[in-house]
Amino acid sequence: MGAAADLAGRERPPVGRAERRAVCAEFAAAADQCAHLAQRLVPQATVYEFDEVRRLAAAVERDTLANPPGRAAGAVLDRLIPVTRVPVSFTGAQVAAEAAATLVAAIDRADGQGGLALREFRAVTAAAELSVRNIAAVAAALPGGDNGQPWRSAAIAWQVAGRATYLFEDGHGAPRTEVTNWANLVPDALHRDLGPAAGIDASSLRARGDLQELVTACQQVANQIPVVADQLAATTLRWAKEGRLSASARDLPQMEDMPEQRVRDVIAGHRVIASGQDLDPLTRSISRAGSLSTALADALNHAGPAGPPMQPKLAAAYAARIRAPGAPEDLVRQARDVEHALAASRMPFQSRPRPQEGTAPGI
């Protein structure tokens, strides 16, 4: 347990203090249980350390009861462990679950190395869109999944978010292949089991003998998508603060008190550095995609076999968001907003081709 705690502290630099408290509480409970079992096997007089472990674990437990970590902090305990290669014996949905976990870790690493390039960001939004289309098709095949739930607009929300990035440029050349490769692998692996998202038929899915196994793997992928949305939202805030993107002044949101220089840039059609509220539409589109994807993950978490979900803390955090006061109405509004964004587009929404640099790992 000490080695596990040390690795958790060293390998997860993006984890904040609240998450570390939740991890500490979980490790303390496990250490207490180990010491309790060991005391039944080893002569008491020779093992002072067991008593000390249990005393310290009890102190952590008392502090946890007095100041319990929030659901969002405890959800970090359900983050899947990233892999370096995916076993070739895995089904497509199992590969997608492993790839989604590794994508989250790859984005974390990229954030520590200066942040995502714009092309990486686009690759992730395109992968999220295609993955959510497949997952939503599976959810629609479950009881109650075909009655107009707001999460059915999640894929469109990701499509809107991806298109919003095409106003901008960042001057980067070829991005890191790690983020792009793992992003590409998630929908490609789902496609292997399900076929094209547009052609998935609910009745044929219900007739499959492996539907429950498929639901379980898709559940793990779906639980990672809101985490990815949070990562991308943090990236847009970083871009807004650092001014790393440029755009045509005419394409940026209007300002109430537009500076004279911006007015001249709009008239002349100049490109300008995008910062601050210029990134607000992109941030909102990512937020909508994350909210609707959370609803989709919640639907799958409650459609699994009897008993607690595979990722109970993450499922509890999502359920709390979806069932918060006003949340159902807000989801309906967000679904309507993305449908309006689709209808307002001057050209048909089509997924942009995903970058193909390198080859996806583990294949």
Side-chain angles (χ1 to χ4, degrees), residues 124-141 145 151-163 186-188 190-191 194-202 205 214 218 221-222 225 289 292-293 296 300 338-339 342 348-352 354:
V124 174
T125 58
E129 175 204 337
L130 295 172
S131 300
V132 165
R133 286 191 188 280
N134 282 277
I135 295 168
V138 173
W151 50 256
R152 294 176 71 89
S153 297
I156 297 175
W158 280 108
Q159 198 171 50
V160 170
R163 288 181 62 85
V186 180
D188 289 348
L190 289 172
H191 171 88
L194 297 171
I200 299 176
D201 178 65
L205 281 175
L214 194 61
C218 286
V221 179
I225 301 295
L292 293 168
S293 297
L296 174 59
L300 280 175
V338 298
E339 296 289 348
L342 175 63
F349 274 61
Q350 296 178 347
S351 298
R352 297 272 181 165
R354 286 178 286 122

Side-chain angles (χ1 to χ4, degrees), residues 64-83:
T64 301
L65 291 174
N67 302 285
R71 282 195 177 94
V76 73
L77 294 159
D78 284 342
R79 291 277 287 270
L80 300 180
I81 299 172
V83 299

Side-chain angles (χ1 to χ4, degrees), residues 308-355:
M310 289 187 63
Q311 297 167 288
K313 292 181 172 60
L314 206 54
Y318 292 162
R321 291 187 203 176
I322 299 305
R323 290 159 183 76
E329 296 80 7
D330 190 50
L331 282 171
V332 172
R333 178 185 59 78
Q334 294 189 67
R336 186 172 59 246
D337 288 346
V338 298
E339 296 289 348
H340 289 167
L342 175 63
S345 176
R346 295 182 179 178
M347 55 190 299
F349 274 61
Q350 296 178 347
S351 298
R352 297 272 181 165
R354 286 178 286 122

Side-chain angles (χ1 to χ4, degrees), residues 50 75 209 260 301 318 357:
F50 290 157
E260 290 185 11
N301 287 332
Y318 292 162
E357 293 90 347

Side-chain angles (χ1 to χ4, degrees), residues 79-131:
R79 291 277 287 270
L80 300 180
I81 299 172
V83 299
T84 54
R85 290 186 64 83
V86 181
V88 295
S89 60
F90 276 17
T91 65
Q94 289 173 325
V95 171
E98 299 291 348
T102 309
L103 173 61
V104 169
I107 295 173
D108 277 346
R109 283 192 294 273
D111 189 60
Q113 299 168 6
L116 291 176
L118 186 56
R119 289 181 64 192
E120 289 175 306
F121 190 101
R122 290 169 180 161
V124 174
T125 58
E129 175 204 337
L130 295 172
S131 300

Side-chain angles (χ1 to χ4, degrees), residues 157-171:
W158 280 108
Q159 198 171 50
V160 170
R163 288 181 62 85
T165 66
Y166 281 86
L167 298 177
F168 304 104
E169 295 179 1
D170 66 353

